[in-house]
mmCIF file of all heavy atoms in Angstrom:
data_model
loop_
_atom_site.group_PDB
_atom_site.id
_atom_site.type_symbol
_atom_site.label_atom_id
_atom_site.label_comp_id
_atom_site.label_asym_id
_atom_site.label_seq_id
_atom_site.Cartn_x
_atom_site.Cartn_y
_atom_site.Cartn_z
ATOM 1 N N ALA O 84 138.844 106.803 143.410
ATOM 2 C CA ALA O 84 137.702 107.253 144.254
ATOM 3 C C ALA O 84 136.452 106.206 143.973
ATOM 4 O O ALA O 84 136.341 105.803 142.863
ATOM 5 C CB ALA O 84 137.236 108.621 143.766
ATOM 6 N N ARG O 178 110.176 101.742 116.874
ATOM 7 C CA ARG O 178 111.466 101.663 116.260
ATOM 8 C C ARG O 178 112.525 102.400 116.924
ATOM 9 O O ARG O 178 113.674 102.028 117.019
ATOM 10 C CB ARG O 178 111.268 102.056 114.680
ATOM 11 C CG ARG O 178 112.545 102.095 113.935
ATOM 12 C CD ARG O 178 113.144 100.675 113.617
ATOM 13 N NE ARG O 178 114.429 100.844 112.999
ATOM 14 C CZ ARG O 178 114.664 100.930 111.646
ATOM 15 N NH1 ARG O 178 113.556 101.017 110.858
ATOM 16 N NH2 ARG O 178 115.813 101.096 111.194
ATOM 17 N N ASP O 196 101.291 102.533 130.625
ATOM 18 C CA ASP O 196 100.292 102.009 129.728
ATOM 19 C C ASP O 196 99.955 103.049 128.685
ATOM 20 O O ASP O 196 99.318 102.727 127.682
ATOM 21 C CB ASP O 196 99.095 101.536 130.417
ATOM 22 C CG ASP O 196 98.543 102.620 131.402
ATOM 23 O OD1 ASP O 196 99.228 103.649 131.663
ATOM 24 O OD2 ASP O 196 97.353 102.467 131.888
ATOM 25 N N ARG O 199 98.236 111.193 128.784
ATOM 26 C CA ARG O 199 97.345 112.136 128.085
ATOM 27 C C ARG O 199 98.186 113.365 127.595
ATOM 28 O O ARG O 199 99.088 113.807 128.324
ATOM 29 C CB ARG O 199 96.340 112.772 129.068
ATOM 30 C CG ARG O 199 95.297 111.763 129.566
ATOM 31 C CD ARG O 199 94.213 112.320 130.412
ATOM 32 N NE ARG O 199 93.071 112.758 129.481
ATOM 33 C CZ ARG O 199 92.150 111.932 129.126
ATOM 34 N NH1 ARG O 199 92.202 110.629 129.546
ATOM 35 N NH2 ARG O 199 91.130 112.295 128.298
ATOM 36 N N ALA O 228 100.535 101.853 135.885
ATOM 37 C CA ALA O 228 99.120 102.154 135.387
ATOM 38 C C ALA O 228 98.949 103.645 135.520
ATOM 39 O O ALA O 228 98.483 104.186 136.520
ATOM 40 C CB ALA O 228 98.182 101.407 136.310
ATOM 41 N N LEU O 297 126.625 126.999 140.887
ATOM 42 C CA LEU O 297 127.440 128.170 140.673
ATOM 43 C C LEU O 297 126.872 129.051 139.476
ATOM 44 O O LEU O 297 127.037 130.232 139.419
ATOM 45 C CB LEU O 297 128.893 127.773 140.439
ATOM 46 C CG LEU O 297 129.589 126.929 141.534
ATOM 47 C CD1 LEU O 297 130.938 126.758 141.252
ATOM 48 C CD2 LEU O 297 129.374 127.679 142.853
ATOM 49 N N ASP O 335 104.420 116.813 132.888
ATOM 50 C CA ASP O 335 104.170 115.905 131.742
ATOM 51 C C ASP O 335 102.939 116.249 131.049
ATOM 52 O O ASP O 335 101.837 116.308 131.678
ATOM 53 C CB ASP O 335 104.023 114.438 132.274
ATOM 54 C CG ASP O 335 103.627 113.497 131.233
ATOM 55 O OD1 ASP O 335 104.182 113.565 130.144
ATOM 56 O OD2 ASP O 335 102.676 112.703 131.482
ATOM 57 N N HIS O 340 98.738 123.386 125.964
ATOM 58 C CA HIS O 340 97.246 123.090 126.318
ATOM 59 C C HIS O 340 96.904 123.604 127.634
ATOM 60 O O HIS O 340 97.614 123.456 128.570
ATOM 61 C CB HIS O 340 97.069 121.533 126.283
ATOM 62 C CG HIS O 340 95.611 121.141 126.630
ATOM 63 N ND1 HIS O 340 94.630 121.150 125.789
ATOM 64 C CD2 HIS O 340 95.063 120.787 127.831
ATOM 65 C CE1 HIS O 340 93.509 120.745 126.349
ATOM 66 N NE2 HIS O 340 93.787 120.465 127.631
ATOM 67 N N ALA O 379 99.811 135.338 134.950
ATOM 68 C CA ALA O 379 100.282 134.590 136.125
ATOM 69 C C ALA O 379 101.091 135.498 137.005
ATOM 70 O O ALA O 379 101.783 136.350 136.548
ATOM 71 C CB ALA O 379 101.111 133.353 135.608
ATOM 72 N N ALA O 469 140.249 121.310 126.490
ATOM 73 C CA ALA O 469 140.693 120.649 127.697
ATOM 74 C C ALA O 469 139.651 119.701 128.220
ATOM 75 O O ALA O 469 138.504 119.987 127.975
ATOM 76 C CB ALA O 469 140.978 121.644 128.782
ATOM 77 N N ARG O 500 135.669 118.462 118.915
ATOM 78 C CA ARG O 500 134.928 119.324 117.918
ATOM 79 C C ARG O 500 133.454 118.944 118.213
ATOM 80 O O ARG O 500 132.992 117.825 117.963
ATOM 81 C CB ARG O 500 135.314 118.926 116.515
ATOM 82 C CG ARG O 500 134.426 119.709 115.433
ATOM 83 C CD ARG O 500 134.838 119.121 114.090
ATOM 84 N NE ARG O 500 133.960 119.645 113.108
ATOM 85 C CZ ARG O 500 132.810 118.981 112.672
ATOM 86 N NH1 ARG O 500 132.555 117.745 113.187
ATOM 87 N NH2 ARG O 500 132.065 119.417 111.711
ATOM 88 N N THR O 522 125.563 124.671 107.737
ATOM 89 C CA THR O 522 125.837 126.120 107.482
ATOM 90 C C THR O 522 125.667 126.494 106.078
ATOM 91 O O THR O 522 125.822 125.657 105.164
ATOM 92 C CB THR O 522 127.432 126.312 107.832
ATOM 93 O OG1 THR O 522 127.524 126.025 109.228
ATOM 94 C CG2 THR O 522 127.805 127.728 107.578
ATOM 95 N N LEU O 553 122.239 123.914 98.831
ATOM 96 C CA LEU O 553 122.691 122.777 98.021
ATOM 97 C C LEU O 553 123.982 123.253 97.291
ATOM 98 O O LEU O 553 123.856 124.060 96.440
ATOM 99 C CB LEU O 553 121.684 122.285 97.011
ATOM 100 C CG LEU O 553 120.325 121.933 97.762
ATOM 101 C CD1 LEU O 553 119.323 121.495 96.635
ATOM 102 C CD2 LEU O 553 120.479 120.959 98.763
ATOM 103 N N LEU O 591 120.677 140.672 106.300
ATOM 104 C CA LEU O 591 121.918 139.879 106.302
ATOM 105 C C LEU O 591 122.728 140.290 105.099
ATOM 106 O O LEU O 591 123.693 141.027 105.313
ATOM 107 C CB LEU O 591 121.465 138.358 106.114
ATOM 108 C CG LEU O 591 120.630 137.805 107.342
ATOM 109 C CD1 LEU O 591 120.234 136.425 107.040
ATOM 110 C CD2 LEU O 591 121.472 137.955 108.595
ATOM 111 N N LYS O 621 119.735 116.161 102.718
ATOM 112 C CA LYS O 621 120.094 114.841 102.154
ATOM 113 C C LYS O 621 118.877 114.357 101.268
ATOM 114 O O LYS O 621 119.139 113.808 100.161
ATOM 115 C CB LYS O 621 120.279 113.862 103.333
ATOM 116 C CG LYS O 621 121.631 113.980 103.943
ATOM 117 C CD LYS O 621 121.771 112.867 105.014
ATOM 118 C CE LYS O 621 123.219 113.005 105.619
ATOM 119 N NZ LYS O 621 123.426 112.081 106.716
ATOM 120 N N SER O 642 106.185 115.010 107.974
ATOM 121 C CA SER O 642 106.735 116.179 107.296
ATOM 122 C C SER O 642 107.775 115.972 106.289
ATOM 123 O O SER O 642 107.978 116.838 105.386
ATOM 124 C CB SER O 642 107.276 117.198 108.426
ATOM 125 O OG SER O 642 108.248 116.582 109.123
#
Side-chain angles (χ1 to χ4, degrees):
R178 173 71 188 274
D196 54 346
R199 296 187 89 82
L297 304 185
D335 170 46
H340 177 83
R500 172 186 172 268
T522 298
L553 305 182
L591 301 176
K621 286 182 175 174
S642 59

